[in-house]
Amino acid sequence: IELMAAAISMIFIVVSVISIPLGILWNVSLIQVLGFSAFIMLYSFIILHIAKRETLSNSIKLHAVGILLVCILTATYFVYYDKIEVLFGFIILVLVMIANTSSKDVIFYYLLFFSVALMIFSFVYKINDTIVMDTTYYAALFIMLLFSIITSHLFKRVYRTITKAKLTERIEILSKNEEITSLYEEILASEEELKEQNEILNSYNKEINANKERLEFLAYNDPLTLLPNRKKIIESIDMMIDANIGHKSPFAVVFIDLDNFKRVNDTLGHAAGDQLLIQVTHRLKSSLNPKDILGRLGGDELALIVRRNMEGEILLMYVQEICDLFSEPFELEGVASKITASFGIAVYPTDADNVDDLLKAADTAMYKAKEIGKDTVQFYDIEMKKTILQRIGLENDLIQAIINNEFYLEYQPLVCGKSNKVIEFEALIRWKTKEGKLISPAEFIPFAEENGFIIRIGEWVLHTVCEKLKQLEREGISNIKIAVNISTIHLEQDYFIDSLKQILEATQINPASLEIEITESILIQNKQKAIDKLREIRELGITISMDDFGTGYSSLSYLLELPIDKLKIDRSFIMAIEVGSVKNEIIKSIIDMVHTLNMEVVAEGIETAVQREYLEDRSCDLLQGFLLSRPLSEEKMMNLLKQGRLF
């Protein structure tokens, strides 16, 4: 509608402009000419304004344009018809064709109505007398009107065909534009996706590179201390050996092992152990020569490669200075803890000329330092190798002994000081190899404690003794007690009490028939923890005795705190008993003191009649020693019990 109104308005505006010079040329009144032009222009702008109004419906717009158009044509007819009668017909024809291009026929019908009305008006009033109103004239007017209608309809069809073709073409173009736009959007989306994927790939690449660097670092470094690991240490030593081929420049390898590191882990936890290793690393690195290499071999073992030509006393002084760094305590769990270390030194090429032997030599020297008291420095020598090989052989034999059940028990009687009857036995472990060789407990027990084998051995002893007590109960012997020696290592284990309960439940013995013997060494690490464990054992109904009293750390205050029932005086005191000796009074004082604490006193290691007589006179509760009886085999113990010598 806006396009059609714009076309009609433009035609009339042009006509109004042209009418001014034409009216002057044709001698029309100037006022009439200007009024006509102004009238046409005003109505033309009104038509445009109405067509653009969005608040009006299309039907109202069409009727308004049609009415205004009829008004303009009527004014033109009265002003200029006698001058442009033929042209006026063509104007109407053009307007009809333009009106017929619209999808609505309202304006067309307005023009058609105006044409018919104009024709009738012309017939009636005959405004122009020069025109002859004959049949030919009427026929011409009718033909012109009919021609206008037919032409307008043909024009409408042609116009709509062209418009439809243009519209189809435009739709195709729009469709293609939409496809292109869609394709462009897809390309943009693909570009964005590719950009995001590229960013992700770059992120992955950075992460992969970081992980690669991390893996490369971990391949040659310890993750906890960040020191070179065993692999890096070995490669470094290998490189130094290769570099020294031909001129054999000396260098040293030092093994460093923290003393009693396992106890730190067991008592304070692995987190405290890790913290200790980190503190040790920082302390050592801050004092080492920059040319030397410090690494961690594993666990609490460190290795130092002294890459300078240092031998003899100079090397010893350097390593001793490192050893002295442990004199200051370390802070663990908020507590200052004294930690020491053992150092073993092997020198290339004096002690070994290849990496494996050099590491073994340093390790051997380090173990020697531990054997002689720890917290010290030892150089490697050939005799150490023999000792280490013996230890390795003993370790292998001990493993086989556990697997092959090569251990057995002997039972040493304890005699009542008043009745001289056997009322108790002490279970003593023995080891006899398959080859028939007897291994002394003094030889393998310390080694088993050091390497952790004592846990399994102790559990076997406890279970075997409880089985023996159950056997005695079945045979009607229920008033016998058997004592078992328990290592400090057992009490340090969190699960020891549970293990003891399981053994009692499995064997169903009377707990009062079992006795646990401990030593004063339980007080070294954590006195309160040891006391709590002993109380738990005692609550089970088991008797507790302290062995080797007088040789260690005990004091009267400790005796008051410890939940123990018996106290065994060490054999070193018993051996000092002589007729008329002043030392005898020490024994008497101990017995009196222990009785005051409501504990029983046991004297072990009695070998002479003088010793026995003195102890009996001083009211010692239980007596034990070779004078009374050596340890008995299981068979001899059973024979002794069956003979009724207990009662």
Short mmCIF file of all heavy atoms in Angstrom, two decimals, residues 50-102:
data_model
loop_
_atom_site.label_atom_id
_atom_site.label_comp_id
_atom_site.label_asym_id
_atom_site.label_seq_id
_atom_site.Cartn_x
_atom_site.Cartn_y
_atom_site.Cartn_z
N ILE A 50 -1.18 9.04 5.28
CA ILE A 50 -2.15 7.99 5.64
C ILE A 50 -1.57 6.61 5.39
O ILE A 50 -1.74 5.68 6.19
CB ILE A 50 -3.46 8.19 4.86
CG1 ILE A 50 -4.18 9.45 5.35
CG2 ILE A 50 -4.37 6.97 4.99
CD1 ILE A 50 -5.40 9.84 4.53
N ALA A 51 -0.86 6.44 4.26
CA ALA A 51 -0.28 5.13 3.91
C ALA A 51 0.77 4.67 4.92
O ALA A 51 0.95 3.47 5.14
CB ALA A 51 0.31 5.19 2.50
N LYS A 52 1.44 5.64 5.54
CA LYS A 52 2.52 5.29 6.48
C LYS A 52 2.03 5.09 7.91
O LYS A 52 2.78 4.61 8.76
CB LYS A 52 3.60 6.39 6.47
CG LYS A 52 4.40 6.42 5.17
CD LYS A 52 5.46 7.51 5.22
CE LYS A 52 6.27 7.53 3.94
NZ LYS A 52 7.33 8.57 3.98
N ARG A 53 0.80 5.48 8.21
CA ARG A 53 0.29 5.37 9.58
C ARG A 53 0.13 3.90 9.95
O ARG A 53 -0.64 3.16 9.33
CB ARG A 53 -1.05 6.08 9.71
CG ARG A 53 -0.96 7.60 9.69
CD ARG A 53 -0.37 8.13 10.99
NE ARG A 53 -1.17 7.82 12.13
CZ ARG A 53 -2.16 8.59 12.56
NH1 ARG A 53 -2.45 9.73 11.95
NH2 ARG A 53 -2.85 8.24 13.62
N GLU A 54 0.88 3.48 10.97
CA GLU A 54 0.83 2.07 11.40
C GLU A 54 -0.40 1.79 12.24
O GLU A 54 -0.81 0.63 12.39
CB GLU A 54 2.09 1.72 12.20
CG GLU A 54 3.36 1.78 11.35
CD GLU A 54 4.59 1.41 12.16
OE1 GLU A 54 4.43 1.18 13.38
OE2 GLU A 54 5.69 1.35 11.57
N THR A 55 -1.00 2.82 12.82
CA THR A 55 -2.16 2.62 13.69
C THR A 55 -3.43 2.35 12.89
O THR A 55 -4.42 1.85 13.43
CB THR A 55 -2.38 3.86 14.57
OG1 THR A 55 -2.51 5.01 13.73
CG2 THR A 55 -1.21 4.04 15.53
N LEU A 56 -3.43 2.72 11.58
CA LEU A 56 -4.61 2.51 10.73
C LEU A 56 -4.54 1.14 10.08
O LEU A 56 -3.46 0.66 9.72
CB LEU A 56 -4.69 3.59 9.65
CG LEU A 56 -4.85 5.03 10.16
CD1 LEU A 56 -4.84 6.00 8.98
CD2 LEU A 56 -6.14 5.18 10.96
N SER A 57 -5.69 0.53 9.93
CA SER A 57 -5.74 -0.76 9.24
C SER A 57 -5.56 -0.54 7.74
O SER A 57 -5.76 0.56 7.22
CB SER A 57 -7.07 -1.46 9.52
OG SER A 57 -8.15 -0.72 8.95
N ASN A 58 -5.23 -1.62 7.03
CA ASN A 58 -5.02 -1.53 5.58
C ASN A 58 -6.31 -1.15 4.86
O ASN A 58 -6.30 -0.42 3.86
CB ASN A 58 -4.50 -2.86 5.04
CG ASN A 58 -3.07 -3.13 5.48
OD1 ASN A 58 -2.34 -2.18 5.80
ND2 ASN A 58 -2.66 -4.38 5.49
N SER A 59 -7.46 -1.60 5.34
CA SER A 59 -8.75 -1.29 4.70
C SER A 59 -9.04 0.21 4.76
O SER A 59 -9.43 0.82 3.76
CB SER A 59 -9.86 -2.08 5.40
OG SER A 59 -11.13 -1.74 4.86
N ILE A 60 -8.83 0.81 5.91
CA ILE A 60 -9.07 2.25 6.07
C ILE A 60 -8.10 3.04 5.19
O ILE A 60 -8.48 4.04 4.56
CB ILE A 60 -8.91 2.66 7.54
CG1 ILE A 60 -10.02 2.02 8.38
CG2 ILE A 60 -8.92 4.17 7.70
CD1 ILE A 60 -9.90 2.25 9.87
N LYS A 61 -6.82 2.56 5.17
CA LYS A 61 -5.83 3.25 4.33
C LYS A 61 -6.26 3.24 2.87
O LYS A 61 -6.19 4.25 2.16
CB LYS A 61 -4.46 2.58 4.48
CG LYS A 61 -3.78 2.80 5.82
CD LYS A 61 -2.43 2.09 5.84
CE LYS A 61 -1.74 2.28 7.18
NZ LYS A 61 -0.43 1.60 7.23
N LEU A 62 -6.75 2.09 2.38
CA LEU A 62 -7.13 1.97 0.96
C LEU A 62 -8.32 2.87 0.64
O LEU A 62 -8.34 3.56 -0.40
CB LEU A 62 -7.46 0.51 0.64
CG LEU A 62 -6.26 -0.45 0.61
CD1 LEU A 62 -6.74 -1.88 0.48
CD2 LEU A 62 -5.33 -0.10 -0.56
N HIS A 63 -9.32 2.90 1.51
CA HIS A 63 -10.49 3.76 1.26
C HIS A 63 -10.11 5.23 1.32
O HIS A 63 -10.59 6.04 0.50
CB HIS A 63 -11.58 3.46 2.30
CG HIS A 63 -12.32 2.17 2.03
ND1 HIS A 63 -13.22 2.02 0.98
CD2 HIS A 63 -12.27 0.97 2.68
CE1 HIS A 63 -13.70 0.79 0.99
NE2 HIS A 63 -13.13 0.11 2.01
N ALA A 64 -9.22 5.58 2.27
CA ALA A 64 -8.81 6.98 2.37
C ALA A 64 -8.04 7.42 1.13
O ALA A 64 -8.28 8.50 0.58
CB ALA A 64 -7.95 7.17 3.63
N VAL A 65 -7.13 6.57 0.69
CA VAL A 65 -6.36 6.90 -0.53
C VAL A 65 -7.29 6.99 -1.73
O VAL A 65 -7.17 7.89 -2.59
CB VAL A 65 -5.26 5.84 -0.76
CG1 VAL A 65 -4.60 6.04 -2.13
CG2 VAL A 65 -4.21 5.92 0.34
N GLY A 66 -8.25 6.06 -1.81
CA GLY A 66 -9.20 6.08 -2.95
C GLY A 66 -10.01 7.36 -2.98
O GLY A 66 -10.19 7.98 -4.04
N ILE A 67 -10.53 7.79 -1.80
CA ILE A 67 -11.34 9.02 -1.72
C ILE A 67 -10.50 10.24 -2.08
O ILE A 67 -10.94 11.11 -2.87
CB ILE A 67 -11.95 9.17 -0.32
CG1 ILE A 67 -12.97 8.05 -0.07
CG2 ILE A 67 -12.60 10.54 -0.15
CD1 ILE A 67 -13.46 7.97 1.35
N LEU A 68 -9.30 10.33 -1.54
CA LEU A 68 -8.43 11.47 -1.84
C LEU A 68 -8.09 11.50 -3.33
O LEU A 68 -8.00 12.58 -3.95
CB LEU A 68 -7.15 11.39 -1.00
CG LEU A 68 -7.35 11.63 0.51
CD1 LEU A 68 -6.04 11.34 1.25
CD2 LEU A 68 -7.78 13.07 0.77
N LEU A 69 -7.86 10.29 -3.88
CA LEU A 69 -7.53 10.22 -5.31
C LEU A 69 -8.69 10.73 -6.17
O LEU A 69 -8.49 11.48 -7.15
CB LEU A 69 -7.19 8.76 -5.65
CG LEU A 69 -6.63 8.49 -7.05
CD1 LEU A 69 -5.34 9.28 -7.27
CD2 LEU A 69 -6.36 7.00 -7.22
N VAL A 70 -9.89 10.37 -5.82
CA VAL A 70 -11.08 10.85 -6.56
C VAL A 70 -11.21 12.37 -6.44
O VAL A 70 -11.52 13.06 -7.41
CB VAL A 70 -12.34 10.14 -6.02
CG1 VAL A 70 -13.62 10.81 -6.58
CG2 VAL A 70 -12.32 8.67 -6.40
N CYS A 71 -10.90 12.89 -5.23
CA CYS A 71 -10.96 14.34 -5.03
C CYS A 71 -9.96 15.06 -5.93
O CYS A 71 -10.27 16.09 -6.54
CB CYS A 71 -10.70 14.69 -3.58
SG CYS A 71 -12.01 14.15 -2.45
N ILE A 72 -8.72 14.51 -5.98
CA ILE A 72 -7.69 15.14 -6.82
C ILE A 72 -8.09 15.11 -8.29
O ILE A 72 -7.96 16.11 -9.03
CB ILE A 72 -6.34 14.44 -6.61
CG1 ILE A 72 -5.83 14.70 -5.17
CG2 ILE A 72 -5.31 14.91 -7.61
CD1 ILE A 72 -4.60 13.90 -4.81
N LEU A 73 -8.60 13.95 -8.74
CA LEU A 73 -8.98 13.83 -10.16
C LEU A 73 -10.16 14.75 -10.49
O LEU A 73 -10.23 15.34 -11.59
CB LEU A 73 -9.34 12.37 -10.47
CG LEU A 73 -8.15 11.39 -10.48
CD1 LEU A 73 -8.65 9.95 -10.65
CD2 LEU A 73 -7.16 11.74 -11.59
N THR A 74 -11.08 14.90 -9.54
CA THR A 74 -12.24 15.78 -9.77
C THR A 74 -11.78 17.24 -9.91
O THR A 74 -12.23 17.98 -10.81
CB THR A 74 -13.21 15.67 -8.59
OG1 THR A 74 -13.63 14.31 -8.45
CG2 THR A 74 -14.43 16.57 -8.79
N ALA A 75 -10.84 17.61 -9.03
CA ALA A 75 -10.32 18.98 -9.13
C ALA A 75 -9.62 19.19 -10.45
O ALA A 75 -9.76 20.25 -11.10
CB ALA A 75 -9.37 19.24 -7.96
N THR A 76 -8.86 18.20 -10.86
CA THR A 76 -8.13 18.31 -12.15
C THR A 76 -9.13 18.43 -13.29
O THR A 76 -8.93 19.20 -14.26
CB THR A 76 -7.23 17.08 -12.35
OG1 THR A 76 -6.37 16.95 -11.23
CG2 THR A 76 -6.41 17.21 -13.62
N TYR A 77 -10.19 17.64 -13.21
CA TYR A 77 -11.20 17.64 -14.28
C TYR A 77 -11.80 19.03 -14.45
O TYR A 77 -11.91 19.54 -15.58
CB TYR A 77 -12.27 16.61 -13.95
CG TYR A 77 -13.40 16.57 -14.94
CD1 TYR A 77 -13.28 15.86 -16.14
CD2 TYR A 77 -14.60 17.26 -14.70
CE1 TYR A 77 -14.32 15.83 -17.05
CE2 TYR A 77 -15.64 17.25 -15.60
CZ TYR A 77 -15.48 16.51 -16.78
OH TYR A 77 -16.53 16.50 -17.69
N PHE A 78 -12.18 19.65 -13.34
CA PHE A 78 -12.84 20.95 -13.44
C PHE A 78 -11.88 22.07 -13.83
O PHE A 78 -12.30 23.06 -14.42
CB PHE A 78 -13.53 21.30 -12.12
CG PHE A 78 -14.83 20.56 -11.91
CD1 PHE A 78 -14.91 19.54 -11.00
CD2 PHE A 78 -15.97 20.89 -12.67
CE1 PHE A 78 -16.09 18.85 -10.81
CE2 PHE A 78 -17.14 20.19 -12.48
CZ PHE A 78 -17.22 19.16 -11.55
N VAL A 79 -10.62 21.91 -13.49
CA VAL A 79 -9.68 23.00 -13.79
C VAL A 79 -9.12 22.88 -15.21
O VAL A 79 -9.02 23.86 -15.94
CB VAL A 79 -8.55 23.02 -12.76
CG1 VAL A 79 -7.50 24.08 -13.13
CG2 VAL A 79 -9.10 23.32 -11.38
N TYR A 80 -8.76 21.66 -15.65
CA TYR A 80 -7.98 21.51 -16.87
C TYR A 80 -8.60 20.60 -17.92
O TYR A 80 -7.97 20.31 -18.93
CB TYR A 80 -6.58 20.96 -16.55
CG TYR A 80 -5.67 21.97 -15.89
CD1 TYR A 80 -5.44 21.93 -14.52
CD2 TYR A 80 -5.06 22.96 -16.66
CE1 TYR A 80 -4.61 22.85 -13.91
CE2 TYR A 80 -4.23 23.88 -16.05
CZ TYR A 80 -4.00 23.82 -14.68
OH TYR A 80 -3.18 24.73 -14.09
N TYR A 81 -9.80 20.09 -17.71
CA TYR A 81 -10.30 19.10 -18.63
C TYR A 81 -10.40 19.64 -20.05
O TYR A 81 -10.10 18.93 -21.02
CB TYR A 81 -11.65 18.55 -18.17
CG TYR A 81 -12.19 17.49 -19.09
CD1 TYR A 81 -11.63 16.21 -19.05
CD2 TYR A 81 -13.21 17.75 -20.02
CE1 TYR A 81 -12.10 15.25 -19.91
CE2 TYR A 81 -13.69 16.77 -20.88
CZ TYR A 81 -13.12 15.51 -20.82
OH TYR A 81 -13.57 14.53 -21.68
N ASP A 82 -10.85 20.86 -20.18
CA ASP A 82 -11.00 21.39 -21.53
C ASP A 82 -9.67 21.60 -22.23
O ASP A 82 -9.60 21.76 -23.45
CB ASP A 82 -11.77 22.73 -21.48
CG ASP A 82 -11.05 23.75 -20.62
OD1 ASP A 82 -10.22 23.31 -19.76
OD2 ASP A 82 -11.27 24.94 -20.79
N LYS A 83 -8.59 21.56 -21.45
CA LYS A 83 -7.26 21.75 -22.04
C LYS A 83 -6.57 20.42 -22.31
O LYS A 83 -5.82 20.29 -23.27
CB LYS A 83 -6.37 22.57 -21.09
CG LYS A 83 -6.98 23.91 -20.67
CD LYS A 83 -7.13 24.87 -21.84
CE LYS A 83 -7.70 26.22 -21.37
NZ LYS A 83 -7.90 27.15 -22.53
N ILE A 84 -6.86 19.48 -21.46
CA ILE A 84 -6.09 18.21 -21.58
C ILE A 84 -7.05 17.03 -21.54
O ILE A 84 -6.82 16.03 -20.82
CB ILE A 84 -5.06 18.08 -20.43
CG1 ILE A 84 -5.77 18.26 -19.08
CG2 ILE A 84 -3.92 19.06 -20.58
CD1 ILE A 84 -4.88 17.91 -17.91
N GLU A 85 -8.08 17.10 -22.28
CA GLU A 85 -9.08 16.06 -22.19
C GLU A 85 -8.53 14.70 -22.59
O GLU A 85 -8.84 13.68 -21.97
CB GLU A 85 -10.27 16.42 -23.06
CG GLU A 85 -9.91 16.68 -24.53
CD GLU A 85 -11.10 17.17 -25.34
OE1 GLU A 85 -11.97 17.83 -24.75
OE2 GLU A 85 -11.16 16.87 -26.53
N VAL A 86 -7.69 14.67 -23.64
CA VAL A 86 -7.11 13.38 -24.05
C VAL A 86 -6.08 12.92 -23.03
O VAL A 86 -6.04 11.77 -22.61
CB VAL A 86 -6.48 13.49 -25.45
CG1 VAL A 86 -5.83 12.17 -25.84
CG2 VAL A 86 -7.53 13.88 -26.47
N LEU A 87 -5.21 13.84 -22.59
CA LEU A 87 -4.18 13.51 -21.59
C LEU A 87 -4.81 13.06 -20.28
O LEU A 87 -4.30 12.16 -19.60
CB LEU A 87 -3.28 14.74 -21.36
CG LEU A 87 -2.13 14.55 -20.37
CD1 LEU A 87 -1.17 13.46 -20.85
CD2 LEU A 87 -1.39 15.87 -20.17
N PHE A 88 -5.96 13.68 -19.98
CA PHE A 88 -6.65 13.33 -18.74
C PHE A 88 -7.06 11.86 -18.75
O PHE A 88 -6.97 11.16 -17.74
CB PHE A 88 -7.87 14.24 -18.56
CG PHE A 88 -8.55 14.08 -17.23
CD1 PHE A 88 -7.97 14.61 -16.08
CD2 PHE A 88 -9.75 13.36 -17.11
CE1 PHE A 88 -8.60 14.45 -14.87
CE2 PHE A 88 -10.34 13.20 -15.89
CZ PHE A 88 -9.79 13.74 -14.75
N GLY A 89 -7.49 11.41 -19.89
CA GLY A 89 -7.86 9.99 -20.02
C GLY A 89 -6.67 9.09 -19.78
O GLY A 89 -6.78 8.04 -19.13
N PHE A 90 -5.50 9.51 -20.35
CA PHE A 90 -4.29 8.69 -20.13
C PHE A 90 -3.85 8.70 -18.67
O PHE A 90 -3.36 7.70 -18.14
CB PHE A 90 -3.14 9.18 -21.03
CG PHE A 90 -3.26 8.71 -22.45
CD1 PHE A 90 -3.68 9.57 -23.45
CD2 PHE A 90 -2.94 7.39 -22.77
CE1 PHE A 90 -3.79 9.12 -24.76
CE2 PHE A 90 -3.04 6.96 -24.09
CZ PHE A 90 -3.47 7.83 -25.09
N ILE A 91 -4.03 9.80 -18.01
CA ILE A 91 -3.69 9.87 -16.57
C ILE A 91 -4.53 8.87 -15.79
O ILE A 91 -4.05 8.13 -14.93
CB ILE A 91 -3.89 11.29 -16.04
CG1 ILE A 91 -2.83 12.22 -16.64
CG2 ILE A 91 -3.80 11.32 -14.51
CD1 ILE A 91 -3.06 13.70 -16.30
N ILE A 92 -5.83 8.88 -16.12
CA ILE A 92 -6.73 7.93 -15.42
C ILE A 92 -6.30 6.50 -15.72
O ILE A 92 -6.29 5.63 -14.85
CB ILE A 92 -8.18 8.18 -15.84
CG1 ILE A 92 -8.63 9.56 -15.33
CG2 ILE A 92 -9.10 7.10 -15.28
CD1 ILE A 92 -10.01 9.97 -15.80
N LEU A 93 -5.94 6.26 -17.01
CA LEU A 93 -5.52 4.91 -17.41
C LEU A 93 -4.29 4.47 -16.61
O LEU A 93 -4.22 3.34 -16.10
CB LEU A 93 -5.22 4.89 -18.91
CG LEU A 93 -4.70 3.55 -19.47
CD1 LEU A 93 -5.73 2.43 -19.27
CD2 LEU A 93 -4.35 3.69 -20.96
N VAL A 94 -3.30 5.36 -16.51
CA VAL A 94 -2.07 5.03 -15.74
C VAL A 94 -2.41 4.77 -14.28
O VAL A 94 -1.92 3.81 -13.66
CB VAL A 94 -1.04 6.17 -15.87
CG1 VAL A 94 0.13 5.93 -14.91
CG2 VAL A 94 -0.53 6.26 -17.29
N LEU A 95 -3.28 5.61 -13.72
CA LEU A 95 -3.66 5.42 -12.32
C LEU A 95 -4.38 4.11 -12.11
O LEU A 95 -4.20 3.42 -11.10
CB LEU A 95 -4.54 6.59 -11.85
CG LEU A 95 -3.84 7.94 -11.74
CD1 LEU A 95 -4.85 9.03 -11.38
CD2 LEU A 95 -2.73 7.90 -10.70
N VAL A 96 -5.23 3.75 -13.07
CA VAL A 96 -5.95 2.47 -12.97
C VAL A 96 -4.97 1.32 -12.97
O VAL A 96 -5.08 0.36 -12.20
CB VAL A 96 -6.96 2.34 -14.13
CG1 VAL A 96 -7.50 0.91 -14.19
CG2 VAL A 96 -8.11 3.31 -13.92
N MET A 97 -3.98 1.40 -13.88
CA MET A 97 -2.99 0.30 -13.95
C MET A 97 -2.16 0.22 -12.66
O MET A 97 -1.85 -0.86 -12.16
CB MET A 97 -2.08 0.50 -15.17
CG MET A 97 -2.79 0.23 -16.49
SD MET A 97 -1.67 0.22 -17.93
CE MET A 97 -1.20 1.92 -17.97
N ILE A 98 -1.80 1.40 -12.16
CA ILE A 98 -1.03 1.39 -10.90
C ILE A 98 -1.87 0.81 -9.77
O ILE A 98 -1.40 0.00 -8.97
CB ILE A 98 -0.56 2.82 -10.55
CG1 ILE A 98 0.51 3.27 -11.56
CG2 ILE A 98 0.02 2.86 -9.13
CD1 ILE A 98 0.92 4.72 -11.39
N ALA A 99 -3.14 1.23 -9.71
CA ALA A 99 -4.02 0.74 -8.65
C ALA A 99 -4.24 -0.75 -8.77
O ALA A 99 -4.38 -1.46 -7.77
CB ALA A 99 -5.36 1.48 -8.72
N ASN A 100 -4.23 -1.27 -9.99
CA ASN A 100 -4.49 -2.69 -10.21
C ASN A 100 -3.30 -3.57 -9.83
O ASN A 100 -3.41 -4.80 -9.82
CB ASN A 100 -4.86 -2.91 -11.68
CG ASN A 100 -5.85 -4.06 -11.83
OD1 ASN A 100 -6.52 -4.42 -10.87
ND2 ASN A 100 -5.95 -4.62 -13.02
N THR A 101 -2.13 -2.92 -9.60
CA THR A 101 -0.95 -3.73 -9.19
C THR A 101 -1.06 -4.16 -7.74
O THR A 101 -0.36 -5.07 -7.31
CB THR A 101 0.34 -2.91 -9.36
OG1 THR A 101 0.26 -1.74 -8.56
CG2 THR A 101 0.57 -2.54 -10.80
N SER A 102 -1.92 -3.50 -6.98
CA SER A 102 -2.06 -3.84 -5.57
C SER A 102 -2.82 -5.15 -5.42
O SER A 102 -3.62 -5.53 -6.29
CB SER A 102 -2.80 -2.71 -4.83
OG SER A 102 -3.07 -3.12 -3.51
#
